[in-house]
Amino acid sequence: MNISLAMSGGGVRATVFHLGMLGRLARENHLEEVGLLSTVSGGSLCAGLVYSLNGVQWPGSQVFLEQIEPQARHLLTTFDLQGSLISRAFGTFWTLLETRASILSALMQQHWKMTARLKDLPPAPRWMINTTCYETGKNWRFERFRYGDYLFGYSNDTDLPLSDCVAASAGFPGLIGALNFPTGGHDWFKYEDNSDPYTKMAGQAEETTWRKVPMQPGRPAVHLWDGGVYDNNGLEGIFDFEKGWSYRFGFLIVSDASGRAKEENYREGIPALMRLSSGIMMAQVRSLRARAIFERLQNHAQSDQGVYLQMGDSYRYILESAGHSDWIPKFSGGSLSAQDVTLAENFPTVIRKLTAAEYECLYHHGYEVADATLCAYYPQNFEHVPYSS
């Protein structure tokens, strides 16, 4: 099975939910079958942490369960990334001159040991780190062999700190903000037909055969924000609204820990504008992309196989929706309560240190949603594997 993973944003809530999903795949030795990662914000933090804890290599299933996840659990429950970010941002005159995204990058280098360069990533799985370019308004992606967007241009000069790329992807407006990315000192180009290579689902092999037209960047720097501003599930690079996803991306797992839109009391001024722009509008974009995925899963099941994992769904809800209510007794032992599921879903979008109980709840929830959904819709490929802490 060739598995592609799209891991959403959502702060540390998403990071741990995705770790739970990876843990579920690992229980049946499926991590070895992952061929593509497309990540945003909290999903990028998750993938960056996993790579950094495993010597910049994608881990095998047993290594993940026995070494990587326990280390990630310890790190996320002992080190306060958000507190350290705030403390450093306002600590001295010199740190006031840094952007908070740069500070986040430095903290991940120091405490998460994310010291690799983008070019150091292995060819497989292919990892696309999604950000939003303020200047072009497009989805800017970092990969091992290329970065940029089709309006601004591309560069193959990937001797960049991996932590910068992850920090840009996680640059949530307000809390972290944009990464100032200087464009000088790099060779830039556009493709001859001026198209977006991601819409063709191109990899490095195809990219090397395309004619490139050298260009000079029109700006000395660009500002790269949270990838979730443009596409919080990292779907654009692997999903075409007309054609679905490419055969080369195989079985698609969308792990969505972005949460659902909630009702709010009216607040005037800037809070109202933030609610409209980064709340309602972003939620609608996510909803439209999710509906497109559901349509492909329901109406094109022979060509487009996969699942959509939604934070906030319980075992019972997933099995009932799939027409397997009779499975509920088999799945219910040791599962999270409805109250715990609600706690996980409503956990705020932050990057602070977690308590042991918070981590366990989020990880358990990600595991359960993956287990129930995979078994309910693809029982020929996945068996029910009960959660064990």
Side-chain angles (χ1 to χ4, degrees):
M1 180 178 286
N2 177 27
I3 297 175
S4 294
L5 301 177
M7 301 196 295
S8 79
V12 73
R13 176 188 70 239
T15 299
V16 182
F17 182 87
H18 300 323
L19 286 171
M21 176 271 296
L22 295 176
R24 171 57 187 85
L25 292 178
R27 289 291 297 276
E28 284 189 296
N29 297 311
H30 287 299
L31 287 190
E32 288 80 356
E33 299 167 357
V34 175
L36 173 81
L37 301 170
S38 182
T39 65
V40 180
S41 192
S44 297
L45 293 173
C46 174
L49 182 57
V50 168
Y51 272 112
S52 297
L53 293 175
N54 196 50
V56 205
Q57 297 295 314
W58 185 247
S61 295
Q62 292 308 306
V63 169
F64 178 85
L65 293 172
E66 296 172 4
Q67 300 178 31
I68 306 306
E69 190 279 322
Q71 292 181 65
R73 181 185 296 252
H74 174 77
L75 193 55
L76 293 172
T77 56
T78 57
F79 176 65
D80 190 353
L81 191 59
Q82 181 170 303
S84 298
L85 176 71
I86 295 172
S87 176
R88 177 163 173 172
F90 299 101
T92 69
F93 172 78
W94 296 110
T95 55
L96 286 173
L97 301 178
E98 297 181 84
T99 66
R100 289 191 293 278
S102 297
I103 295 173
L104 176 61
S105 174
L107 289 170
M108 288 190 293
Q109 289 186 36
Q110 180 181 357
H111 297 280
W112 285 19
K113 307 306 179 186
M114 195 181 294
T115 56
R117 315 293 286 184
L118 183 62
K119 66 178 183 179
D120 296 332
L121 290 172
R126 178 182 177 184
W127 182 16
M128 298 192 295
I129 307 171
N130 296 276
T131 73
T132 303
C133 180
Y134 179 90
E135 283 75 10
T136 64
K138 298 301 179 183
N139 186 201
W140 176 296
R141 299 183 188 90
F142 290 100
E143 294 194 66
R144 182 182 66 87
F145 64 95
R146 175 182 59 198
Y147 56 83
D149 70 47
Y150 74 94
L151 282 185
F152 187 87
Y154 299 94
S155 177
N156 296 130
D157 299 334
T158 57
D159 188 15
L160 309 171
L162 177 62
S163 58
D164 279 1
C165 307
V166 173
S169 180
F172 187 77
L175 176 62
I176 300 171
L179 179 79
N180 186 342
F181 185 80
T183 59
H186 304 286
D187 294 325
W188 293 88
F189 63 88
K190 286 193 174 183
Y191 295 102
E192 189 173 39
D193 61 359
N194 198 35
S195 66
D196 180 359
Y198 297 101
T199 63
K200 300 179 181 179
M201 316 237 180
Q204 186 172 11
E206 294 91 338
E207 198 263 357
T208 58
T209 67
W210 292 1
R211 178 172 168 77
K212 302 172 184 178
V213 180
M215 56 162 286
Q216 292 296 319
R219 299 174 184 274
V222 291
H223 297 81
L224 305 177
W225 292 79
D226 182 356
V229 174
Y230 188 90
D231 172 13
N232 200 48
N233 285 321
L235 291 170
E236 181 161 303
I238 57 177
F239 174 77
D240 183 278
F241 277 82
E242 180 183 356
K243 300 177 181 178
W245 46 93
S246 168
Y247 68 90
R248 80 186 67 186
F249 294 153
F251 190 88
L252 175 61
I253 299 177
V254 182
S255 185
D256 185 358
S258 55
R260 295 182 173 93
K262 303 290 192 302
E263 292 185 1
E264 288 187 14
N265 293 325
Y266 182 74
R267 297 175 295 166
E268 295 183 355
I270 293 178
L273 293 176
M274 291 296 294
R275 161 74 168 162
L276 290 170
S277 61
S278 64
I280 297 173
M281 293 172 66
M282 286 176 63
Q284 183 64 5
V285 171
R286 291 197 302 268
S287 177
L288 290 172
R289 291 186 183 275
R291 291 174 192 174
I293 291 290
F294 291 144
E295 190 278 330
R296 299 300 302 190
L297 292 173
Q298 293 171 1
N299 300 325
H300 306 271
Q302 295 303 312
S303 60
D304 293 348
Q305 294 191 335
V307 291
Y308 196 103
L309 311 180
Q310 177 68 66
M311 172 170 266
D313 288 350
S314 65
Y315 258 145
R316 175 177 291 275
Y317 175 81
I318 294 167
L319 296 180
E320 288 177 344
S321 298
H324 293 303
S325 297
D326 56 314
W327 291 10
I328 293 174
K330 173 185 175 183
F331 278 64
S332 60
S335 63
L336 288 176
S337 66
Q339 181 181 11
D340 285 337
V341 170
T342 300
L343 286 173
E345 181 186 12
N346 292 334
F347 194 87
T349 303
V350 293
I351 55 172
R352 66 165 172 80
K353 179 177 68 175
L354 300 174
T355 67
E358 288 170 338
Y359 181 99
E360 176 64 20
C361 181
L362 292 166
Y363 183 88
H364 190 165
H365 184 42
Y367 183 102
E368 281 192 354
V369 171
D371 184 64
T373 308
L374 291 167
C375 295
Y377 290 97
Y378 290 90
Q380 69 274 25
N381 300 115
F382 300 92
E383 296 182 1
H384 169 49
V385 183
Y387 177 74
S388 59
S389 57

